[in-house]
Amino acid sequence: MTQYGFHFDMNRCYACQACSIACKDWNGIDPGAEKWMCVYEWESGTFPNIRLNALAFSCAHCANPACMAACEAGAIYKEEKYGAVLVDQDKCTGCRSCAEACPYGAPKFATDEPDCKMSKCTMCIDRLEEGLRPLCAASCPLRALDFGPVDELAEKYTDIRQCEGMPSPELTDPSYLVWPHREKQPLIPYDADRAIELNRQRGDLGTLFEAPEDLTEFETGTIGRSELKMKHATVAELMRATRNDMA
């Protein structure tokens, strides 16, 4: 079996959600928390070194799927041609053992009802059989997503399988490679301290803040999404974590 998977470039993604919308459209999924492709956004750093982060993630189609091992109903299996991890909904009981076991939060549920069956990314296996790429990769306007045999992706890019905040790849051997953010390079040199002072007092606008610390020190909870979180206890939590309101 040749294991297929995804490569994601964090430096290209600007969280437009095109991949998530295309996935829902192709698979006929209703609006809501049943998002096979999720775009997580979070903020890190403080002025003048702020970073808006985005991670587009559906499923890692792991070599050692924790979800499959946890499913007592035998509803989750790994098919042989592409290495896709799939779910047989006729066997699924909605017990959510898979969701508890998966470190990436890949199993999705439309509601919080206890009998709601799990669904997840299929690697667009129907498209693969037609010689097409998964629609998430095909729909990305900045080509942040790529797809193919994992060995070829690792040779083409790099064999990095986590960014800061993601689970260790040693847990499940994911078929998901990622280029983390490169170090930011200022295009135009400037005096950050001077910029802070100029912005503190804006003429007729009055004083915007009292001290430079007001831009760098915040009470806990002030920043709504300050870290990557991929697992969520409720559909409401998932919707808050993947809404697009950072810009």
Side-chain angles (χ1 to χ4, degrees), residues 181-201:
H181 278 305
R182 301 174 184 88
E183 184 177 351
K184 295 177 72 173
Q185 298 292 333
L187 298 179
I188 301 175
Y190 71 100
D191 186 334
D193 293 335
R194 178 61 176 159
I196 291 174
E197 181 57 31
L198 289 172
N199 278 279
R200 189 183 70 82
Q201 177 58 251

Side-chain angles (χ1 to χ4, degrees), residues 24 29-34 239:
K24 273 185 172 285
I29 304 172
D30 292 334
E34 194 175 11
M239 291 297 284

Side-chain angles (χ1 to χ4, degrees), residues 95-168:
C95 72
R96 301 187 183 238
S97 295
C98 56
E100 294 177 8
C102 175
Y104 298 103
K108 294 298 188 295
F109 301 87
T111 72
D112 290 329
E113 296 300 320
D115 59 347
C116 180
K117 294 189 175 186
M118 184 270 277
S119 69
K120 63 178 294 298
C121 165
T122 65
M123 202 187 276
C124 276
I125 198 167
D126 53 338
R127 291 175 58 87
L128 299 183
E129 288 294 274
E130 297 295 326
L132 302 172
R133 306 167 72 213
L135 199 60
C136 59
S139 65
C140 179
L142 290 185
R143 300 297 182 259
L145 278 165
D146 201 356
F147 176 83
V150 169
D151 290 345
E152 293 182 12
L153 293 176
E155 183 177 354
K156 181 179 180 181
Y157 300 106
T158 183
D159 196 9
I160 299 175
R161 307 206 181 196
Q162 69 177 140
C163 68
E164 184 177 358
M166 288 184 71
S168 169

Side-chain angles (χ1 to χ4, degrees), residues 8-45:
F8 176 70
D9 187 345
M10 293 185 73
N11 301 279
R12 287 179 173 265
C13 179
Y14 65 107
C16 71
Q17 303 278 342
C19 56
S20 183
I21 295 170
C23 174
K24 273 185 172 285
D25 183 62
W26 178 262
N27 293 288
I29 304 172
D30 292 334
E34 194 175 11
K35 296 183 179 184
W36 294 358
M37 167 59 80
C38 287
V39 181
Y40 300 99
E41 297 179 73
W42 69 103
E43 181 179 338
S44 58

